[in-house]
Amino acid sequence: MSERPRKRDSIGTQEKILAAAMAEFARKGYDGARVDAIIARAKISKNLLYHHFRSKEELYVKVLERTYETMRRRQEEVPLAGLDPVVAMRRLCESTFQTFIEEPEVIVMMNTENLHRGKHVAKSPIIRQLYSRLAVTIQAILEQGEARGLFRSGVDPVELYISISALGYFYLSNRYTLSMIFDRDLKSPENLARRKAHIIEMTMAYLTAGAADAAPLAAVPSAEAAPKAQARKAR
């Protein structure tokens, strides 16, 4: 067998193990997950798993990295560079919330890791690098918006992202209890759309407060509405 097929087989085996591990960790958390269950789900031998990953903890860190990489990849599918800063910030809000909706294991894994006080994230330089790049991107958008008089000055990009993320994360991570308490189905498409609009409105109200040239929120179309508005204008 040539080197290339061997490498493909190795990558394919790692992908199977990571997919099985993600399912097991997402269901049972780090402490409750069992290596034997991951092996059974991946349909491989224990020796093969330990050939690729030295321990349960190493495997868990790799799954965490995959989780955060998924989050960042989904956000980066919506390009922000070169956009009007208001449109870029709205799209960041939309893509962050939409990723939480469509990738529920992200929330589960984050909840689990917070129970462990982030000790596994601390072992991954990859995760920190992912979010360092995000902070740089947000900083550039904020600076452009401030220079044009659209955004207030002195906004911390990390604080802003934490707030945007929290507005969606808390809603979804607590959707079952909040739905019961308020007798409202927070998972319905109508309520998810309402929440997304709420996140955008709150974020933009904060960013534009006190900015001399900021347009009224209603005058700035969302990323979803913009193509429709442009099409109507073309007609």
Side-chain angles (χ1 to χ4, degrees):
M1 184 183 285
S2 70
E3 189 66 29
R4 188 170 294 173
R6 267 201 206 101
K7 188 173 182 180
R8 278 202 302 267
D9 290 346
S10 177
I11 292 171
T13 300
Q14 287 184 44
E15 288 298 318
K16 280 171 57 178
I17 295 170
L18 287 170
M22 170 68 83
E24 178 70 5
F25 287 129
R27 279 188 64 208
K28 299 180 180 177
Y30 177 75
D31 294 326
R34 295 290 176 263
V35 170
D36 286 343
I38 295 170
I39 290 166
R41 191 184 289 268
K43 298 180 180 178
I44 58 168
S45 69
K46 184 173 286 191
N47 285 341
L48 189 55
L49 183 142
Y50 284 116
H51 171 72
H52 290 283
F53 302 98
R54 290 170 296 181
S55 65
K56 174 184 171 181
E57 183 178 48
E58 181 182 321
L59 180 55
Y60 180 71
V61 170
K62 291 296 182 185
V63 170
L64 271 178
E65 289 175 349
R66 178 67 58 89
T67 300
Y68 282 92
E69 285 169 350
T70 297
M71 183 77 182
R72 290 296 300 119
R73 186 184 69 249
R74 289 293 307 275
Q75 288 172 325
E76 289 172 352
E77 285 173 0
V78 180
L80 302 178
L83 294 177
D84 175 271
V86 172
V87 174
M89 199 57 69
R90 294 181 72 118
R91 288 190 179 179
L92 176 64
C93 293
E94 290 173 340
S95 65
T96 299
F97 187 55
Q98 195 62 36
T99 299
F100 284 143
I101 294 171
E102 296 178 5
E103 306 283 350
E105 67 277 3
V106 169
I107 288 179
V108 175
M109 292 298 295
M110 288 179 176
N111 284 343
T112 297
E113 182 57 10
N114 275 289
L115 289 174
H116 288 271
R117 300 175 182 244
K119 73 175 184 179
H120 301 102
V121 166
K123 297 180 180 181
S124 171
I126 291 174
I127 294 172
R128 287 192 290 271
Q129 289 169 7
L130 287 170
Y131 280 82
S132 293
R133 294 202 303 269
L134 175 62
V136 169
T137 298
I138 295 173
Q139 181 68 51
I141 296 169
L142 290 171
E143 288 175 354
Q144 185 185 4
E146 183 180 342
R148 290 176 53 185
L150 299 171
F151 295 163
R152 66 195 296 169
S153 62
V155 177
D156 185 301
V158 174
E159 290 288 353
L160 180 66
Y161 179 73
I162 291 172
S163 295
I164 293 170
S165 182
L167 286 167
Y169 181 95
F170 182 86
Y171 178 95
L172 292 169
S173 66
N174 294 274
R175 62 193 180 277
Y176 299 109
T177 53
L178 292 173
S179 291
M180 294 295 295
I181 291 167
F182 293 111
D183 193 22
R184 178 182 295 183
D185 182 9
L186 299 189
K187 304 185 300 301
S188 73
E190 295 80 8
N191 282 323
L192 290 173
R194 186 178 294 115
R195 184 62 184 181
K196 184 185 290 185
H198 179 75
I199 293 168
I200 294 169
E201 184 176 355
M202 288 193 71
T203 302
M204 299 312 300
Y206 167 72
L207 286 175
T208 59
D213 298 329
L217 290 176
V220 183
S222 70
E224 293 175 352
K228 296 178 184 176
Q230 290 169 0
R232 284 197 297 270
K233 193 173 182 181
R235 288 203 292 266

